[in-house]
Amino acid sequence: MLELRGVGYEADDGKEILKDINLKIDDRFVAITGPNGGGKSTLAKVIVGIAQPTSGQILLDGEDVTNLSITERARCGISYAFQQPVRFKGLRVRDLLTLAAGKDTKVTDACQYLSEVGLCAHDYIDRELNDSLSGGELKRIEIAMVLARGTKLSIFDEPEAGIDLWSFQNLIRVFEKMYQQTRGSILIISHQERILNIADKIIYLKGGRVEKYGDRESILPGLLGTSSRAACPVLTEKMEG
């Protein structure tokens, strides 16, 4: 279980981005949504250890990880998929999966991880992580890396960003399958209704504060409005931007 107690974060310029965040996350699939600039990505980075909170505590299964580095938190069982996956010239897909798994990755293992995200291991295992791969391919390879790690908590920052409709539809299927098979918790930052619709719980973050947190059935209808998705400023703001 992930627990945040009074977590705050202040930027170098003194702007308060996160304000007294109190959360307990122990469901299999939790989505964070809210207006742009509300602090969603900052919250993810604080949980992972990319950014250190200026106040409060972060606990993972009861252990205080607040002052641990990103590497130490990864060892404790936290994985993170960036909004824009990093391209590593000279590094192959096999290398990335091996690093993620913490052991030599056999072709059969790689095939399993890549097939989970709809990619053929034969076509991708020796591909370099460079500009020859599309945004959708990189997204799926990064998800395969998270699967290879098999951690307690997997965090995805707007996995739908920068990909085409076909790739997005495939990503939805990947997350649906992850939801069915995961033994840990998945935390996804997203504006997309189809992702919010498969979450157990939804966190609505606005102005650095948690305004709503509860079961999908109680939170999502209010975000979508009573008639159509167009009634939801959270979803339309992202798509129009």
Side-chain angles (χ1 to χ4, degrees):
M1 179 180 72
L2 177 71
E3 184 176 359
L4 281 70
R5 298 177 180 174
V7 169
Y9 179 78
E10 190 175 290
D12 292 338
D13 62 2
K15 182 179 179 181
E16 193 176 15
I17 298 176
L18 298 178
K19 307 168 185 177
D20 193 30
I21 303 293
N22 293 282
L23 289 169
K24 287 185 178 180
I25 298 172
D26 57 1
D27 295 271
R28 284 191 298 167
F29 197 123
V30 177
I32 302 177
T33 193
N36 288 332
K40 300 183 297 298
S41 291
T42 300
L43 179 59
K45 291 174 181 176
V46 164
I47 293 171
V48 173
I50 295 174
Q52 290 294 324
T54 49
S55 62
Q57 286 182 297
I58 302 170
L59 292 89
L60 182 65
D61 289 342
E63 179 183 352
D64 191 340
V65 299
T66 310
N67 296 317
L68 297 185
S69 68
I70 184 172
T71 301
E72 291 169 325
R73 292 192 204 190
R75 289 173 183 156
C76 289
I78 299 177
S79 295
Y80 180 64
F82 289 88
Q83 185 177 138
Q84 297 296 333
V86 180
R87 299 175 187 266
F88 299 96
K89 186 176 181 179
L91 189 67
R92 301 172 302 165
V93 172
R94 183 203 297 264
D95 301 326
L96 187 65
L97 293 175
T98 296
L99 288 169
K103 61 181 180 181
D104 186 34
T105 304
K106 299 177 181 178
V107 174
T108 52
D109 295 329
C111 183
Q112 179 182 348
Y113 299 136
L114 292 170
S115 65
E116 290 287 340
V117 297
L119 297 176
C120 174
H122 181 268
D123 294 336
Y124 285 90
I125 193 168
D126 289 317
R127 291 276 297 275
E128 284 192 18
L129 297 164
N130 55 28
D131 291 339
S132 69
L133 294 168
S134 69
E137 288 171 324
L138 279 171
K139 290 278 188 181
R140 285 188 276 175
I141 289 168
E142 190 172 42
I143 294 171
M145 178 192 71
V146 173
L147 292 174
R149 289 207 66 215
T151 51
K152 299 176 185 178
L153 176 65
S154 301
I155 302 174
F156 298 88
D157 189 355
E158 294 194 31
E160 71 272 15
I163 63 172
D164 56 41
L165 179 60
W166 184 88
S167 296
F168 174 68
Q169 291 171 337
N170 278 275
L171 279 177
I172 292 297
R173 286 191 283 270
V174 169
F175 286 126
E176 288 173 339
K177 193 168 185 178
M178 285 182 68
Y179 174 83
Q180 295 168 359
Q181 298 179 351
T182 186
R183 296 179 182 177
S185 295
I186 300 170
L187 185 62
I188 296 187
I189 297 171
S190 181
H191 294 263
Q192 291 291 338
E193 179 185 348
R194 288 184 62 185
I195 290 180
L196 301 182
N197 203 44
I198 58 176
D200 291 311
K201 289 186 177 179
I202 295 174
I203 299 166
Y204 181 74
L205 196 66
K206 182 179 180 181
R209 298 185 184 276
V210 176
E211 290 209 346
K212 299 177 182 178
Y213 179 35
D215 295 336
R216 177 188 67 245
E217 293 82 1
S218 63
I219 300 296
L220 189 57
L223 298 181
L224 298 177
T226 56
S227 58
S228 70
R229 184 168 63 182
C232 178
V234 174
L235 303 176
T236 55
E237 178 182 350
K238 181 64 178 179
M239 289 187 286
E240 290 171 357

